[in-house]
């Protein structure tokens, strides 16, 4: 269904400089037709800038923007079959909710019939859970409602490519979940290609076909949510996607399986990126890769003694913050079942933390 | 204190001219019935004030648009200052400059020299209009400039994103959102024009006189304060009607929005 070799849009070594600020640095990215791609990264890493180059609001300082294989660097936004949900909504204050949503439809030539426009707008209002709000003025809507109007204003046009710049940041958790499901349904139904910008790694992980992690204007890794979670390329990605514990050490033997010495102990794990002997690196372990026991850990597991510092009940799981003299503080995620077997751990108690020999990844510290 | 002079004028308007000029108490509507004698002044004012306002608007809008949207920040300040500078010299001096420019030795002689025939410019309604546009342009430019400057430029991007070519964006977003500035500018210029007397006196040469000139004449020259007051009251009434119409217009138009402020 999703054509591997069917790019709808592409950034080729695209850079954007604002004076001395480099907002996008040599960004190369292929967006596949029909996919759901997310940009993930901290504030100021260039996510909006990348979207703006695709939408046609910024001409790259160098490099190219391609749509359907055509170079479109200078093609103005109104000629691109793309719609964008703006980070700051950018709703028209002098128009009603209905007229805001109808705006794009009314620009279409040949002109659409009034009834067709009204029907499409009402449907879009339903989709964003705002039926009967059409007559309202924008300033009569709450922040979250405005955000949904912005969403409706973009999706009503059924563009080939929909760019969403943090479209759900102002929504509460429940509504957010609803909107996420709506968007996914819409994407499957209409075959629209989605590019979503988000700060929220959970949102990116749960919705995307692929995630593009950005840092300082550069793309650091692109991959499926599973790829990114299981095989982060760098410490930065490991830290940004899901929770990770980092145990600092020095590389003693390099290779696909890398050996590292942490506080006098030899450990080994896979290294996705080549490292050199003597380099500062970390063993990265997800909290769920570590388990807790009252008794000394079994044979084939690496273990360390810990003191429980805090317990956070999460329902299905319990998260423990534990302390080890050499490794410092780290997180352990204990499933309910395991807790039923081992019994609960109380803050202040001593316990044994362990993980499968060779589990986790070894990543350079830079 | 603010309304006291107005009350005096109102009372005077029902009196009569004293034997040596000024005011003598009386109560009659004669002055108002006599207003027809000054009909030409009212007519000139009611024709040239709206036309002058419109002419100001037509020149001011593109100027303000250029200043607020197109000019780079560095030029913006420069050009704004250029628009204000004429305001620093007295309107009297500026009008003299126009008397020369539009007079027999100015533009008309240039046009005649080019063999395009002889035309009269000074002492015509056209000359008065030129004076008006020149004198009132900054008053029109500023409110429009402010409303365009405050316009959220991201809205223009949003319109473009939704497929609107630049002309549509201008007509459906920029223009409606700058209407409060347009209304404010028009009202300012219009109200001040209704009382204008210097420009018609100097560039109209006594042929194109405004209500303002009639007032100067009645109060200063013929010293008929009672009739002058009646003319003034009539003028205030006309203004009140226009201002009310303006309020209606902006109120309906803005519909209680908080993103734009009116006057
Ligand atoms: N018009 C501009 N002029 C100068 N610098 C800019 C401009 N737009 C963006 N920048 C800078 O470029 C960098 C990237 O900005 P961008 O808006 O793409 O970040 P972002 O990833 O979208 O951040 P956020 O998550 O906070 O929205 C930032 O350092 C920002 O300050
Ligand atoms: Mg942004």
């Amino acid at each position: 269904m999703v054509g591997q070799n069917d790019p709808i849009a592409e950034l080729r070594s695209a850079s954007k400089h604002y004076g001395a600020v480099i907002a996008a640095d040599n960004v190369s990215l292929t967006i596949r037709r029909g996919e759901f791609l997310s940009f993930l990264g901290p504030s100021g890493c260039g996510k909006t800038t990348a979207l703006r180059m695709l939408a046609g609001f910024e001409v790259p300082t160098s490099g190219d923007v391609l749509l359907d294989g055509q170079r479109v660097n200078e093609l103005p936004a109104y000629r691109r079959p793309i719609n964008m949900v703006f980070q700051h909504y950018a709703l028209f204050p002098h128009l009603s909710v209905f007229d805001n949503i109808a705006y794009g439809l009314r620009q279409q030539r040949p002109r659409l019939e009034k009834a067709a426009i009204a029907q499409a707008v009402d449907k879009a209002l339903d989709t964003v859970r705002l039926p009967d709000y059409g007559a309202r003025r924008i300033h009569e809507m709450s922040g979250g409602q405005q955000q949904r109007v912005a969403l409706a204003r973009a999706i009503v046009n059924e563009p080939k490519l929909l760019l969403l710049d943090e479209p759900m940041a102002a929504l509460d958790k429940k509504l957010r979940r609803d909107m996420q499901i709506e968007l996914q349904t819409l994407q499957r139904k209409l075959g629209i290609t989605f590019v979503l910008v988000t700060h929220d790694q959970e949102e990116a992980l749960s919705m995307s076909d692929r995630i593009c992690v950005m840092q300082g204007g550069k793309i650091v890794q692109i991959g499926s949510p599973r790829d990114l979670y299981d095989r982060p390329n760098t410490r930065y990605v490991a830290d940004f996607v899901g929770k990770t514990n980092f145990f600092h050490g020095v590389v003693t033997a390099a290779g696909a399986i890398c050996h590292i010495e942490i506080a006098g102990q030899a450990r080994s794990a896979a290294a996705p990126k080549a490292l050199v002997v003597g380099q500062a690196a970390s063993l990265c372990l997800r909290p769920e890769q570590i388990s807790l026991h009252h008794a000394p850990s079994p044979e084939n597991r690496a273990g360390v003694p810990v003191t429980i510092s805090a317990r956070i009940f999460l329902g299905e799981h319990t998260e423990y913050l534990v302390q080890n003299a050499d490794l410092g503080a780290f997180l352990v995620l204990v499933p309910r079942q395991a807790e039923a077997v081992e019994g609960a751990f109380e803050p202040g108690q001593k316990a044994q933390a362990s993980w499968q020999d060779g589990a986790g990844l070894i990543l350079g510290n830079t | 204190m603010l309304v006291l002079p107005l009350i005096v004028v109102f009372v005077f308007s029902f009196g009569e001219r004293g034997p040596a000029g000024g005011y003598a108490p009386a109560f009659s509507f004669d002055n108002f019935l006599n207003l027809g004698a000054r009909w030409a002044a009212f007519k000139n004012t009611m024709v040239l004030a709206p036309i002058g306002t419109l002419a100001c608007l037509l020149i001011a809008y593109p100027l303000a648009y250029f200043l607020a949207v197109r000019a780079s920040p560095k030029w913006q300040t420069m050009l704004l200052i250029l628009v204000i500078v004429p305001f620093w010299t007295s309107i009297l001096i500026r009008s003299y400059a126009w008397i020369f420019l539009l007079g027999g030795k100015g533009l008309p002689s240039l046009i005649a020299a080019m063999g395009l025939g002889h035309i009269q410019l000074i002492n015509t309604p056209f000359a008065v209009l030129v004076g008006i546009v020149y004198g009132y342009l900054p008053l029109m430019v500023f409110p429009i400039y402010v409303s365009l400057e405050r316009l959220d430029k991201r809205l223009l991007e949003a319109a473009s994103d939704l497929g609107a070519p630049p002309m549509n964006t201008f007509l459906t977003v920029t223009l409606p959102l700058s209407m409060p500035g347009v209304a404010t500018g028009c009202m300012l210029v219009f109200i001040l024009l209704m009382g204008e007397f210097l420009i018609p006196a100097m560039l109209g040469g006594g042929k194109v006189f405004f209500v303002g000139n009639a007032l100067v004449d009645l109060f200063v020259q013929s010293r008929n304060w009672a009739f002058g007051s009646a003319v003034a009251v009539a003028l205030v009434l006309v203004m009140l009607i226009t201002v009310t119409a303006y309020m209606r217009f902006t109120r309906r138009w803005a519909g209680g929005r908080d993103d734009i402020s009116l006057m």
Side-chain angles (χ1 to χ4, degrees), chain A residues 48 87 165-166:
Chain A
T48 298
Q87 190 166 13
D165 201 347
E166 304 190 28

Side-chain angles (χ1 to χ4, degrees), chain A residues 52 55 57 77-78 82-84 86 88 90-94 103-104 107 109 137 139 153 157, chain B residues 154-155 157-166 168-169 172-173 176-177 255-259:
Chain A
R52 289 175 60 82
F57 299 127
Y78 63 91
I82 295 178
N83 281 122
M84 179 153 164
F86 290 81
H88 303 282
L91 296 170
F92 304 120
H94 59 299
Y103 193 95
Q107 297 303 327
R109 300 289 179 273
R137 289 283 186 153
H139 69 94
R153 186 177 67 173
N157 304 297
Chain B
R154 291 177 297 207
L155 297 179
E157 290 187 344
S160 179
D161 181 71
L162 292 165
N168 285 10
T169 300
T172 56
V173 181
L177 285 174
R257 285 154 49 193
D258 49 6
D259 58 300

Side-chain angles (χ1 to χ4, degrees), chain A residues 54-229:
Chain A
L54 287 168
F57 299 127
E58 306 287 355
V59 179
T61 313
S62 63
D64 289 324
V65 183
L66 285 86
L67 280 181
D68 281 326
Q70 302 284 315
R71 182 180 173 279
V72 294
N73 287 25
E74 280 89 21
L75 192 72
Y78 63 91
R79 294 241 176 87
R80 300 191 188 189
I82 295 178
N83 281 122
M84 179 153 164
V85 178
F86 290 81
Q87 190 166 13
H88 303 282
Y89 321 156
L91 296 170
F92 304 120
H94 59 299
L95 300 179
S96 67
V97 167
F98 183 97
D99 289 336
N100 262 280
I101 299 174
Y103 193 95
L105 298 174
R106 288 185 178 143
Q107 297 303 327
Q108 290 185 15
R109 300 289 179 273
R111 284 177 185 281
L112 297 178
E113 271 181 48
K114 262 202 163 127
I117 291 178
Q119 202 184 354
V121 171
D122 284 340
K123 211 177 107 204
L125 278 170
D126 277 341
T127 306
V128 298
R129 309 272 193 279
L130 287 173
D132 310 322
Y133 277 82
R136 290 259 199 132
R137 289 283 186 153
I138 295 304
H139 69 94
E140 295 165 348
M141 308 285 280
S142 75
Q145 289 170 335
Q146 291 186 17
Q147 194 153 49
R148 283 180 279 158
V149 175
L151 205 54
R153 186 177 67 173
I155 58 176
V156 76
N157 304 297
E158 302 189 2
K160 281 193 195 171
L161 179 57
L162 184 61
L163 310 175
L164 306 116
D165 201 347
E166 304 190 28
M168 290 170 282
L171 305 184
D172 62 66
K173 203 160 182 171
K174 164 94 174 60
L175 197 53
R176 207 182 161 102
R177 193 65 218 134
D178 281 356
M179 285 300 112
Q180 289 172 351
I181 292 167
E182 268 314 329
L183 283 184
Q184 282 178 309
T185 314
L186 211 69
Q187 190 225 3
R188 244 170 278 131
K189 203 166 65 187
L190 302 175
I192 302 177
T193 308
F194 275 52
V195 178
L196 175 85
V197 163
T198 181
H199 276 127
D200 180 351
Q201 47 132 333
E202 249 177 74
E203 187 168 285
L205 287 173
S206 65
M207 296 182 76
S208 326
D209 296 318
R210 286 194 306 158
I211 300 176
C212 169
V213 182
M214 291 190 72
Q215 176 187 22
K218 285 193 173 79
I219 294 179
V220 282
Q221 191 172 359
I222 307 180
S224 69
R226 189 170 288 273
D227 273 351
L228 252 53
Y229 193 83

